[in-house]
Structures are given as structure tokens and as C-alpha cells.
Amino acid sequence: MTFHPTTMMADKSDGDGDAGVILETRKKTQRPPLYKVMLLNDDYTPMEFVVHVLERFFGLSHAQAFEIMLTVHKKGLAVVGVFSFEIAETKVGQVMDFARRHQHPLQCTMEKE
């Protein structure tokens, strides 16, 4: 944690002729860690389903979702977004529940950036 002292001289004397010094400390707000949400390739989930998931849960356009789906297909995985822990965890849960409900083995994971 970093402290940034600001020194101000007091207007009044403290009785012995010396001016008092007031120190203010300000905490530097630390940003929370971010987490990458990733989709993993499998041999069974239809490409159209992956595109739908990306549009629905990550707010991507059809063109953006199609590009990411191709990256997942060709490279085995793709980062679909970077979020705070709570949001990343929620998105992973939503995708996994949605895939299970539609009987697809699509995997969605998260890791610290």
C-alpha cells in the first residue's frame, strides 16, 4: 500500500513557539484483479450454438461471435472477455448451465489475468 503524505502548516502556534505539522495520508485504491473467461473447443457442440452463447451471454455481434467461435475451433480455446471475479464467475456459470440444459459438453472456464 502506498501512502502520499500531504504536509500542511498549522496557522496557530502550539504554545512553545513551534508551528504544528499535520499529516494527511491517502490510501491509493487498488484495482480488483481481473479474470479471463475462456471457451474450450470440443468435438460435439455445434458451432451455431457457440455463436449463440457468445451473443447471448457476452453481448457480441454476430460477426464478433463468429470470429471467436472460429478461434475456439481452430486453436482449442479463446478468451471471450475479461471481468471482475464476480462477473466472470457468473458468466461461467450461466454458460455452463445453458450448455447443460441444451445437452452440449461446451466448457467455459476462468483464470486470473
Side-chain angles (χ1 to χ4, degrees):
M1 213 174 278
T2 307
F3 291 97
H4 299 282
T6 303
T7 307
M8 297 194 283
M9 299 302 288
D11 291 348
K12 295 184 204 170
S13 173
D14 63 3
D16 62 1
D18 292 332
V21 176
I22 300 171
L23 292 178
E24 280 184 23
T25 56
R26 293 185 190 154
K27 286 184 185 177
K28 186 174 184 180
T29 305
Q30 201 169 17
R31 290 182 181 265
L34 295 176
Y35 291 79
K36 298 184 287 191
V37 175
M38 298 167 292
L39 285 183
L40 307 177
N41 189 42
D42 65 72
D43 293 332
Y44 303 102
T45 304
M47 291 179 177
E48 298 80 25
F49 183 80
V50 175
V51 170
H52 178 69
V53 163
L54 292 167
E55 291 170 344
R56 179 173 178 160
F57 296 106
F58 297 94
L60 300 176
S61 70
H62 186 75
Q64 292 169 319
F66 191 82
E67 284 299 313
I68 290 175
M69 176 276 298
L70 284 179
T71 301
V72 172
H73 182 70
K74 292 176 185 173
K75 296 190 175 183
L77 72 107
V79 175
V80 296
V82 179
F83 308 96
S84 68
F85 178 81
E86 292 80 9
I87 293 173
E89 186 177 51
T90 299
K91 290 198 179 285
V92 168
Q94 289 173 328
V95 170
M96 295 296 290
D97 289 345
F98 191 70
R100 265 194 301 267
R101 281 198 315 271
H102 289 85
Q103 299 178 342
H104 295 301
L106 181 65
Q107 294 294 302
C108 185
T109 63
M110 62 187 262
E111 71 179 37
K112 202 169 190 177
E113 189 175 48

